[in-house]
């Protein structure tokens, strides 16, 4: 390789790096601005009372969103119990089992469901769960969020499993390992981090949903004691407070938005830390 060609290649590589860095900055900048705005407007309202107390009566200042924070965890827990097993098993089926025609239809349906507006999910669960139960409930809220998670978890799980080299499967089967053990102990373990990432994407998506919860969980100003009762959640509380004419409620709405953002951030950081190199050397 001549010197001019070498310099041209270095110049192109440098230009590519600059372009990639610029695009990365453009992607991260809106998130940084949103985070800065939330900290600026909501950090001053975050205190111990915000996490432990119930909302005050209409027009009164003070109080907190303890019931909404607990309600959010309850709803996300229910959603994970419904959405993660079904989504992961569905992704395993699409990747390792099934026929081409059946899998095509399942993928097609999952892709359509991924694009369905969240308010439509809320209306469907309202008709199927809320109306027969004759009331709004935390159970209905968990069901709608879980159903929204299923297609996203399914498709991401399938794509991650496709990245596992086929040689892993062939080597295990050649040694006499059964199909289901190969899938569970080799393929799924190898793709575990990717599957967890897909689950986190689904959790992050449903954690901030408001429209489906308006038709299912409705919201509550007290502590929820039963899954058959309405339950508060941070997105619902943010919506209600943001629509109010009270400045103190507006500040608490910004604080709740900041807490919701930090919740998703900490979930991502925590799970990635716990799963880091967990299966290294065990496959």
């Amino acid at each position: 390789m001549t010197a001019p060609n070498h310099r041209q290649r270095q110049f192109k590589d440098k230009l590519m790096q600059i372009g990639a860095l610029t695009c990365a900055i453009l992607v991260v900048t809106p998130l940084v601005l949103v985070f800065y705005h939330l900290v600026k407007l909501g950090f001053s309202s975050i205190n111990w009372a915000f996490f432990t107390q119930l909302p005050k009566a209409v027009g009164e200042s003070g109080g907190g969103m303890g019931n909404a924070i607990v309600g959010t965890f309850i709803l996300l827990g229910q959603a994970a119990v419904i959405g993660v097993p079904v989504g992961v098993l569905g992704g395993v089926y699409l990747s390792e089992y099934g026929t081409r025609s059946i899998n095509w239809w399942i993928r097609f349906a999952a892709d359509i469901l991924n694009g369905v507006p969240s308010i439509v999910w809320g209306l469907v669960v309202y008709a199927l769960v809320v109306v027969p139960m004759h009331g709004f409930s935390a159970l209905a809220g968990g069901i709608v969020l879980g159903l929204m998670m299923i297609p996203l978890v399914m498709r991401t799980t399938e794509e991650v499993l496709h990245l596992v080299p086929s040689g892993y499967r062939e080597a295990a089967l050649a040694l006499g390992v059964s199909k289901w053990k190969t899938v569970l102990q080799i393929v799924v373990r190898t793709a575990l981090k990717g599957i967890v990432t897909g689950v986190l994407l689904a959790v992050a998506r449903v954690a901030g949903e408001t429209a489906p919860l308006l038709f299912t969980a409705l919201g509550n100003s007290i502590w929820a004691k039963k899954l058959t009762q309405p339950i508060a959640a941070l997105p619902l509380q943010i919506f209600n407070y943001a629509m109010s004419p009270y400045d103190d409620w507006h500040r608490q709405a910004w604080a709740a938005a900041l807490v919701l953002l930090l919740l998703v951030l900490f979930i991502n950081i925590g799970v990635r830390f716990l799963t880091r190199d967990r299966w290294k050397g065990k496959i």
Side-chain angles (χ1 to χ4, degrees), residues 9 20 66 75 93 99 108 163 179 208 219-220 253:
R9 185 172 181 178
L75 291 174
Y93 178 84
T99 62
F108 180 70
L163 298 177
K179 176 73 172 180
N220 202 340

Side-chain angles (χ1 to χ4, degrees), residues 174-226:
L175 293 173
V177 181
S178 61
K179 176 73 172 180
W180 72 270
K181 285 186 177 181
T182 300
V183 173
L184 180 62
Q185 298 182 3
I186 304 299
V187 180
V188 173
R189 279 192 173 188
T190 303
L192 181 63
K193 289 186 178 181
I195 294 174
V196 171
T197 300
V199 171
L200 290 176
L201 288 174
V203 171
R205 177 191 174 186
V206 302
E209 290 290 347
T210 304
L213 296 182
L214 289 172
F215 291 93
T216 54
L218 184 63
N220 202 340
S221 59
I222 60 176
W223 300 103
K225 299 180 180 179
K226 298 180 181 179

Side-chain angles (χ1 to χ4, degrees), residues 19-261:
L21 177 61
T22 302
C23 292
I25 293 175
L26 291 176
V27 171
V28 175
T29 298
L31 177 60
V32 174
L33 293 177
V34 169
F35 185 74
Y36 169 76
H37 196 65
L38 290 178
V39 171
K40 179 181 178 181
L41 296 178
F43 185 77
S44 60
S45 296
I46 295 180
N47 49 42
W48 183 248
F50 178 85
F51 292 99
T52 58
Q53 294 185 8
L54 294 175
K56 291 291 186 180
V58 176
E60 294 186 17
S61 59
M65 294 191 182
N67 60 330
I69 296 173
V70 174
T72 297
F73 281 106
I74 293 175
L75 291 174
L76 291 180
Q78 292 182 86
V81 169
I82 297 172
V84 174
V86 177
V88 171
L89 291 176
V92 170
Y93 178 84
L94 291 176
S95 176
E96 308 298 326
Y97 301 95
T99 62
R100 178 177 298 181
S101 60
I102 294 178
N103 289 359
W104 186 89
W105 284 107
I106 295 176
R107 293 189 189 100
F108 180 70
D111 291 338
I112 291 178
L113 293 176
N114 272 326
V116 172
S118 60
I119 192 171
V120 176
W121 285 105
L123 290 171
V124 170
V125 176
Y126 174 83
L128 297 179
V129 180
V130 176
V131 173
M133 290 181 63
H134 304 288
F136 301 94
S137 64
L139 182 61
I143 290 175
V144 70
L145 297 184
L147 292 177
M148 292 175 63
M149 288 179 61
I150 289 175
L152 182 56
V153 173
M154 180 185 298
R155 294 295 281 133
T156 53
T157 299
E158 180 196 5
E159 295 300 326
V160 170
L161 293 178
H162 282 161
L163 298 177
V164 178
S166 58
Y168 288 18
R169 301 172 177 86
E170 296 170 358
L173 294 174
L175 293 173
V177 181
S178 61
K179 176 73 172 180
W180 72 270
K181 285 186 177 181
T182 300
V183 173
L184 180 62
Q185 298 182 3
I186 304 299
V187 180
V188 173
R189 279 192 173 188
T190 303
L192 181 63
K193 289 186 178 181
I195 294 174
V196 171
T197 300
V199 171
L200 290 176
L201 288 174
V203 171
R205 177 191 174 186
V206 302
E209 290 290 347
T210 304
L213 296 182
L214 289 172
F215 291 93
T216 54
L218 184 63
N220 202 340
S221 59
I222 60 176
W223 300 103
K225 299 180 180 179
K226 298 180 181 179
L227 295 180
T228 55
Q229 296 177 344
I231 191 171
L234 283 175
L236 290 174
Q237 209 81 337
I238 293 171
F239 174 78
N240 292 329
Y241 276 26
M243 296 293 292
S244 71
Y246 309 111
D247 292 337
D248 185 66
W249 282 17
H250 292 168
R251 288 191 293 269
Q252 291 200 35
W254 286 113
L258 177 60
V259 170
L260 190 60
L261 179 63

